[in-house]
Amino acid sequence: MKRLVAIGALCLAACAQQPQLALRGSGDLGVVIERASGRVAVVDNSAAAVLGSVDGLGDLSHASVVFSRDGRYAYVFGRDGGLSKVDLLTRQLERRVVQAGNSIGGAISQDGRIVVAQNYEPGGIKAFDARTLELLADIPSTYGAEGKRSKVVGLADLPGNRFAYALFDAGEIWIADLSAPRQPKLSKFRDVGRQPYDGLVTPDGRYYLAGLFGEDGVALVDLWRPEQGARKILAAYGRGEEKLPVFKMPHLRGWAVAGRRAYLPAVGRHEVLVVDTATWQEVGRIPVKGQPVFVMARPDGRQVWVNFALPDNGWVQVIDTLDDRLLATLAPGKAVLHLEFSPKGEQVWISARDDDRVLIYDTESLKQVGSLVAQNPSGIFFTSRAARIGF
Amino acid sequence: MKGLVLCLVLAASFAPAAQATVVPAPERQRQLIRMVRQDCGSCHGMTLKGGLGSPLLPQDLRDKPPTSLVATVLYGRAGTAMPPWQSKLDPAEAAWIVEQLLNGFPNE
């Protein structure tokens, strides 16, 4: 009996201890989307380990993540319009709202107080209180005479609690000023080009670029001089040649800039386009293995890593930006969907969906140094994104 | 003569449906299901409820002629982001996919 009591006391002590998490920071954490399971794995970057997972996040077949300023919370935007606030330290789903029928991603404001979702259906953006997920503003992407709503792509956070985004169906770029979030102010740039498919803002917050699918080129707005309107760059990169079938849309976001050059995917071509960000003139194009999906600069800008649409989605190529030549062609796994650099870029994590693995590469030796198991992994997001403009 | 023409027209319009009776082998079916869910799913959603591409659930496709759906899969749709898949699929496979979509697409 005495023994039983002793065991009981031990258990009580253990059980009481259990919810107590070890004290730790959040700057070394991240999430990996497990797209088929509606779940995110919470990962420790330095330990190269999965700490646990959080499920019940809905349809994550296309998902994106932004982080609170303190790096504790991940806001996960799912395909089904779900916006989930996940606590990375306790690994709990803290709040969740289904805010649209069909959603593509989101961004968080400069001051960290407003989370904005970009939606396909119903088309538009919605702004939420980052703490409570209470709806603050609903801005439909209505365009043209018939009052149709466009799908929204390319949402980027800008200085001044503003957000830039593009209207796929309308060929417009809008900027929403949410400095008073319940009274949003809109500026619209019309006829920027046909079918903008994604957008990015340069890391300094000055230029917004929207890649065009319906024609060759990229729409550009100088956000410091918005009165100049939108202009088109790289308008002749295809020279009227027939495009290859595009089996997967390229993605932009703010990784493209390395030094004074931007590296952009050519739509329907096996090329990466190189642009001088001082003049916005094309200064080169780099032939690559397939149609680029993500073209991402290592944080120091010395390398650019590229993955590809199918049938070339087993390859990753590395470009040396000193002379814009290919440094390596890697075969990390089957169906490479995404890459994410560690905060200062000594490693890159690569998701191989059909191998159920995340591969970790050293970016100097270009050798695999580790791997993690994840079910159908897609996006990888580290909390270092919290401090970047554009996300 | 008129009867023959009608017959030919009918035969033409049923051709893809007839091809659907050429059922892909089980291993290929698994590949096709994965391809639709994962790769078509990057635009149409893994649950096929739509995204940048249109929804592909039975209720969304019911009123569209299967022949034109098969043609869309094989040849794409000009002016939209839908690419031609004929380099990845033969006509019988496209017809089988359309048939599955109309009946409610199988899960992986």
Side-chain angles (χ1 to χ4, degrees), chain A residues 38-59:
Chain A
R39 190 168 67 203
V40 296
V42 178
V43 294
D44 180 317
N45 187 340
S46 295
V50 175
L51 301 178
S53 61
V54 180
D55 58 16
L57 308 188
D59 175 2

Side-chain angles (χ1 to χ4, degrees), chain A residues 35-36 59 61 79-80 101-102 120 151 168 194-195 213 245-249 310-311 353-354 376, chain B residues 34 37-39 41-47 49-53 79-81 83-85 87-88:
Chain A
R35 73 197 296 255
D59 175 2
S61 55
R79 169 66 89 195
D80 56 4
N102 203 313
Y120 281 165
K151 298 183 180 92
F168 177 81
R194 290 195 56 223
Q195 294 172 321
F213 179 82
V246 179
F247 294 120
K248 185 173 166 92
M249 279 288 177
L310 76 158
R353 182 193 69 202
D354 290 357
N376 290 156
Chain B
R34 182 161 187 84
R37 291 275 172 203
Q38 300 288 342
D39 296 316
S42 61
C43 277
H44 296 280
M46 223 159 50
T47 57
K49 58 180 268 190
L52 198 61
T80 76
W85 291 85
S87 62
K88 310 267 170 277

Side-chain angles (χ1 to χ4, degrees), chain A residues 84-97:
Chain A
S84 308
K85 182 180 181 184
V86 173
D87 185 333
L88 300 181
L89 294 181
T90 63
R91 298 192 285 281
Q92 302 284 324
L93 174 57
E94 177 151 314
R95 278 169 206 275
R96 176 171 159 83
V97 292

Side-chain angles (χ1 to χ4, degrees), chain A residues 88-320:
Chain A
L88 300 181
L89 294 181
T90 63
R91 298 192 285 281
Q92 302 284 324
L93 174 57
E94 177 151 314
R95 278 169 206 275
R96 176 171 159 83
V97 292
V98 176
Q99 52 85 30
N102 203 313
S103 182
I104 186 69
I108 188 162
S109 62
Q110 184 178 40
D111 67 6
R113 294 173 192 273
I114 309 163
V115 172
V116 177
Q118 53 178 337
N119 297 321
Y120 281 165
E121 186 53 49
I125 63 167
K126 282 186 176 177
F128 299 88
D129 183 304
R131 201 169 52 81
T132 61
L133 300 190
E134 179 199 357
L135 181 68
L136 299 174
D138 179 356
I139 307 173
S141 52
T142 311
Y143 71 100
E146 295 160 42
K148 285 200 221 163
R149 291 171 77 155
S150 171
K151 298 183 180 92
V152 170
V153 298
L155 181 71
D157 105 273
L158 307 178
N161 277 10
R162 294 174 305 150
F163 293 84
Y165 51 101
L167 278 57
F168 177 81
D169 306 289
E172 297 183 5
I173 292 171
W174 290 13
I175 294 167
D177 181 341
L178 298 184
S179 47
R182 290 181 192 274
Q183 287 92 39
K185 288 198 282 283
L186 288 177
S187 336
K188 301 178 184 179
F189 300 85
R190 297 209 160 88
D191 300 318
V192 303
R194 290 195 56 223
Q195 294 172 321
Y197 65 86
D198 200 359
L200 68 89
V201 65
T202 49
D204 58 7
R206 176 162 183 182
Y207 296 99
Y208 181 75
L209 284 76
L212 301 175
F213 179 82
E215 61 185 279
D216 289 336
V218 172
L220 174 79
V221 176
D222 181 346
L223 298 161
W224 290 6
R225 304 166 87 181
E227 68 285 355
Q228 293 182 338
R231 64 185 163 116
K232 218 173 288 170
I233 60 166
L234 296 169
Y237 75 76
R239 303 186 200 97
E241 294 160 28
E242 187 96 3
K243 273 200 262 194
L244 299 167
V246 179
F247 294 120
K248 185 173 166 92
M249 279 288 177
H251 285 55
L252 296 175
R253 283 256 155 175
W255 305 110
V257 177
R260 62 177 266 176
R261 292 178 165 185
Y263 293 77
L264 300 166
V267 180
R269 283 163 213 291
H270 294 187
E271 286 173 338
V272 169
L273 307 172
V274 189
V275 190
D276 184 326
T277 61
T279 61
W280 294 104
Q281 296 297 307
E282 181 184 326
V283 292
R285 38 180 89 182
I286 303 165
V288 287
K289 195 96 183 156
Q291 294 183 34
V293 175
F294 282 98
V295 178
M296 300 173 90
R298 198 172 69 175
D300 66 348
R302 177 63 197 268
Q303 295 174 354
V304 167
W305 289 56
V306 189
N307 77 327
F308 304 100
L310 76 158
D312 302 305
N313 56 2
W315 303 103
V316 166
Q317 288 189 306
V318 186
I319 295 165
D320 183 340

